[in-house]
Amino acid sequence: MTSKITRAIAASLALTATTLGLAGCDSAAAGSLEGSRLELPVTGGTAVVDTASLAVTARTGDGRRLVLSEAAAGGGLGTPGPVTRTDDGANWSYPAKGLKVTARSEQGRLRITLRSDRDGSVSWPVTGSDPTASAVQLPRGEGLDIPVRDAFWNGKEGGLAGSTVDVGAELALPLWGYSMTGKGKGNRKAGHGVSYLTPTDIGTSLRFASTGGRLRATAAHAFSAGEGTRDYDITFALTDGNPVAPAADYRSYLSQHGQLGSLREKIRKNPANGRLLGAFHAYVWGEGRTASGVERLRKLGVDRMWLGYDAGPGGMDAKAVQAARKAGYLVGPYDTFANGQDPKTADSPTSVWPDRVYPDFCVRKADGTPETGFGGRGCYLSSRAFEKAEPGKHYLADRTRRMVANGADSYFLDVDATGEVFRDHGKGHEMTKAGDRRNRLARMRRLAGNLVLGSESAQPWANRVLAFDHGSGTPVADGLWALERDREKWGGYYPQNAPKAFFKPVRLPDGVATAMYDPRYRVPLYETALHGSLVNAERWELSYEKLPRQKTTRALLAMLYNTPLNYVLDGPSLRQHGPELAALQRYFSPLHRAAGADRMTSFRWLTADRTVQHTVFGDGTLTVTANFGTRAHDGLPGGCVDARLRTDAQPRRLCPARLGG
């Protein structure tokens, strides 16, 4: 068995080790100091911080020495001040940089906080330099595990080497990780890895470089008084090297800090959330928005669906909504509180607001000019301006009331829970990016009280208020945006009843397809962190039928991760693809109903080429094995998936390509 498999086999151990923490370690929070070597206990070993440079190493319990970070990059930090040790940790400073540092053991992790007395930046930690580092974990969408020597990702086509990622805006989770190969005491094989969490994700970025044909990642943080980012927190945790261990570490962190939502609790507060369990999702057009279209789905045997529609003319009327709810489906309009345009020329009813919301509520840059809206349309609207006005004007409450007057019981609020937040300099509604998040959370929390709430993607800071998202499941490669802008290839927003942008099948360029959907690189980081908190799906413009060449892979990933498929439907597509959709949903529904509110407790590869993958949910409520390869493995044919509920005598098999459609 190869070392790659060995480090992945004990997945349950990875999830356990990173969630238990180190009992009693806080009593030694400040560690021990010898010269510039500060030693602090962590779960699985000892972390060693060089107070002269912020280089971090670790000694594992089985005798390994791991490099967790090189010294801070960019010319160094200058001469450090003396180290003092208190019950709260070890403290020192770098006067030349205006930095004060605290390092401590906290719940089994090494936590280092940098506080700056001036605007500036620091490039640290510098990761991936350990010679045994074998793979890097990156939460782009659902998640990637990339061998550090992989030629595709080190090259231009992969688009990662040489790129800089905004942690708060572009990653689905504020973390990354590395897995290490090698042996411990007595020449024993042992899996090792490290998890890096960045709770202060606003102002933090991650730059990837190919050094000697190996991927390295260096974090950087911008200290800004105006943005409120003068504090920078990083935690380090030792793991067993499983590819989802950093996400398990993060789930544990969220739980320990009271920041982990529960889908069961959301269902208890609003029982309609329970209808997400077992449901596929679809945006409907034309006949799909009618009572007869809903009835067609029901007659096909589809027992659960989430149906969404845009706010333009021809939305779902009360009769169609009533038919959907009678069938057990959820129904919700698309809306956005983020865009404002001149009512005389606005191209969407969601961009039209009363009074002087436009232009008075526009987010303003430092020079006073408005922040241009998505696609060059109007402006982005300030969440602070809305929150200040809402008690008296009720702009948002009135909008929502109109949108659900047809009886809709769900709501899709575009961009509110994404990483795209703003600093606003507008007079009377100034805010930082962190303030923007707080305002968005406040208004989403109000909506979630009575509606099944979703957003374009679900950043972790929104996981307690959202019930679902359409976007965090997709590891978007930059080449996708270029393709979507090519209207000839991708399709435009016409005809009105079936826009080609949604319905026209396309072929992804080979590099984009590899970066997004090659199962050898895909790992369920997001589900490991947040499965059981909310329901995660792919981006709304990437319907199941939009990418014909990826259909089998996407179906297998959905079943393996226990996440729904997303569709667009009109009359013709209902007739053409309805039976296939129904067959897939019938397979998915009982599995998701049983385990959709459980955590993902295990992920592992069963073959050296990573094409056969295995997941477990809850304490064995559901186990799933997917074969993305072409050869059978242990009786499971290529292109097929076996799922087994605890109560099943035999596994349930699905081979998506055989369904046709």
Side-chain angles (χ1 to χ4, degrees):
M1 186 173 290
T2 69
S3 59
K4 290 182 181 179
I5 305 175
T6 301
R7 73 180 179 87
I9 284 295
S12 296
L13 296 179
L15 303 190
T16 301
T18 54
T19 55
L20 289 179
L22 182 66
C25 75
D26 287 345
S27 63
S32 60
L33 181 67
E34 183 177 342
S36 66
R37 287 172 53 87
L38 175 67
E39 297 192 0
L40 300 112
V42 294
T43 299
T46 302
V48 182
V49 182
D50 182 355
T51 61
S53 66
L54 280 183
V56 183
T57 59
R59 293 194 310 272
T60 66
D62 63 354
R64 287 278 298 279
R65 180 186 182 274
L66 304 176
V67 178
L68 307 190
S69 173
E70 298 286 355
L77 300 167
T79 303
V83 179
T84 60
R85 295 165 61 237
T86 69
D87 289 343
D88 292 327
N91 304 278
W92 67 98
S93 65
Y94 299 104
K97 295 282 286 186
L99 292 173
K100 292 182 178 180
V101 185
T102 299
R104 60 177 282 121
S105 293
E106 186 174 277
Q107 294 179 306
R109 304 177 186 88
L110 167 65
R111 176 184 174 186
I112 298 182
T113 301
L114 279 62
R115 173 167 290 181
S116 180
D117 66 7
R118 66 197 70 167
D119 287 359
S121 64
V122 65
S123 294
W124 177 87
V126 181
T127 69
S129 65
D130 190 287
T132 66
S134 58
V136 60
Q137 292 87 41
L138 182 67
R140 180 190 281 179
E142 181 60 65
L144 301 171
D145 178 274
I146 301 169
V148 297
R149 291 189 178 276
D150 189 273
F152 174 79
W153 292 102
N154 276 275
K156 183 178 180 181
E157 194 175 24
L160 188 59
S163 70
T164 299
V165 179
D166 186 322
V167 174
E170 297 178 83
L171 294 184
L173 306 169
L175 61 85
W176 73 102
Y178 274 90
S179 299
M180 280 59 160
T181 58
K183 298 177 181 179
K185 289 179 180 178
N187 213 31
R188 290 186 298 106
K189 287 185 177 180
H192 290 290
V194 58
S195 163
Y196 304 92
L197 308 183
T198 58
T200 48
D201 58 327
I202 294 176
T204 302
S205 59
L206 194 61
R207 180 167 180 78
F208 287 89
S210 178
T211 305
R214 294 167 56 88
L215 284 171
R216 295 186 180 183
T218 299
H221 185 78
F223 299 104
S224 168
E227 280 291 2
T229 59
R230 287 279 184 89
D231 288 342
Y232 178 35
D233 262 6
I234 290 282
T235 73
F236 304 72
L238 299 180
T239 75
D240 74 349
N242 183 272
V244 298
D249 179 35
Y250 185 52
R251 183 184 181 94
S252 175
Y253 178 92
L254 291 175
S255 180
Q256 291 161 355
H257 290 79
Q259 298 171 8
L260 181 63
S262 164
L263 191 54
R264 285 192 175 90
E265 181 64 14
K266 294 168 188 175
I267 293 170
R268 186 189 67 80
K269 291 181 178 179
N270 179 6
N273 284 313
R275 279 182 276 145
L276 285 170
L277 297 177
F280 278 0
H281 296 227
Y283 284 91
V284 288
W285 302 79
E287 186 186 336
R289 297 182 175 185
T290 66
S292 62
V294 171
E295 181 64 13
R296 181 182 294 274
L297 273 173
R298 190 191 66 78
K299 286 184 176 180
L300 285 168
V302 177
D303 67 347
R304 291 276 175 98
M305 284 293 292
W306 180 92
L307 301 178
Y309 54 94
D310 69 355
M316 291 187 78
D317 61 22
K319 183 179 179 181
V321 169
Q322 183 181 20
R325 295 185 63 170
K326 184 178 179 181
Y329 303 167
L330 289 165
V331 183
Y334 164 96
D335 196 5
T336 178
F337 298 162
N339 187 256
Q341 299 179 41
D342 185 336
K344 297 177 182 178
T345 57
D347 58 11
S348 170
T350 60
S351 299
V352 176
W353 297 89
D355 304 331
R356 286 185 55 85
V357 167
Y358 179 86
D360 290 357
F361 284 20
C362 289
V363 170
R364 298 283 170 175
K365 302 176 185 178
D367 63 4
T369 59
E371 189 75 52
T372 304
F374 177 78
R377 301 157 51 245
C379 72
Y380 280 100
L381 297 175
S382 170
S383 63
R384 175 64 177 155
F386 272 124
E387 286 301 289
K388 289 187 68 175
E390 194 63 13
K393 294 294 188 178
H394 314 303
Y395 293 127
L396 302 182
D398 288 348
R399 162 72 74 85
T400 304
R401 194 176 298 112
R402 289 195 302 272
M403 296 287 274
V404 299
N406 60 358
D409 51 4
S410 184
Y411 214 77
F412 183 84
L413 188 59
D414 200 13
V415 309
D416 252 36
T418 69
E420 188 178 44
V421 290
F422 294 98
R423 170 90 179 273
D424 187 2
H425 296 268
K427 187 176 181 180
H429 48 82
E430 297 88 347
M431 68 179 179
T432 63
K433 291 180 179 178
D436 195 3
R437 283 184 179 179
R438 289 192 294 271
N439 297 330
R440 294 175 186 222
L441 276 173
R443 67 194 192 190
M444 285 191 288
R445 190 172 292 111
R446 294 193 296 267
L447 286 173
N450 299 301
L451 295 164
V452 177
L453 181 63
S455 189
E456 177 182 342
S457 61
Q459 291 280 309
W461 50 266
N463 88 87
R464 285 176 291 172
V465 298
L466 287 184
F468 69 96
D469 77 82
H470 293 161
S472 290
T474 306
V476 172
D478 287 344
L480 178 67
W481 306 133
L483 179 61
E484 290 191 10
R485 288 191 293 269
D486 187 332
R487 293 301 183 208
E488 184 176 343
K489 292 181 179 178
W490 188 262
Y493 291 96
Y494 58 87
Q496 182 175 310
N497 283 345
K500 290 184 178 180
F502 301 110
F503 286 90
K504 180 183 178 181
V506 299
R507 176 176 176 173
L508 294 176
D510 291 345
V512 174
T514 297
M516 292 178 61
Y517 291 112
D518 190 325
R520 297 173 299 168
Y521 304 122
R522 292 286 299 263
V523 289
L525 297 177
Y526 194 88
E527 297 315 311
T528 297
L530 293 175
H531 196 278
S533 174
L534 49 78
V535 175
N536 178 34
E538 287 219 57
R539 289 184 60 83
W540 49 271
E541 80 273 28
L542 295 177
S543 71
Y544 184 59
E545 299 293 343
K546 183 72 176 177
L547 308 174
R549 288 174 174 260
Q550 280 72 44
K551 282 180 62 173
T552 294
T553 294
R554 295 173 80 191
L556 295 183
L557 287 169
M559 304 310 159
L560 184 69
Y561 297 169
N562 199 228
T563 55
L565 292 171
N566 212 344
Y567 284 79
V568 291
L569 296 172
D570 66 346
S573 61
L574 267 171
R575 287 183 283 275
Q576 182 179 357
H577 304 301
E580 180 186 15
L581 181 159
L584 289 166
Q585 193 272 336
R586 281 195 299 271
Y587 182 86
F588 174 77
S589 184
L591 308 179
H592 197 236
R593 288 192 189 208
D598 286 347
R599 61 177 296 191
M600 179 184 280
T601 47
S602 177
F603 169 80
R604 57 190 173 111
W605 297 300
L606 300 184
T607 56
D609 64 2
R610 300 184 172 194
T611 59
V612 183
Q613 303 177 14
H614 183 76
T615 54
V616 180
F617 298 86
D619 58 354
T621 302
L622 172 66
T623 59
V624 187
T625 303
N627 186 347
F628 296 93
T630 56
R631 293 185 299 178
H633 174 80
D634 198 21
L636 178 63
C640 298
V641 59
D642 274 353
R644 190 168 190 165
L645 296 174
R646 186 191 290 109
T647 54
D648 288 343
Q650 297 292 330
R652 307 164 185 232
R653 178 161 295 176
L654 173 72
C655 300
R658 300 177 187 175
L659 297 178

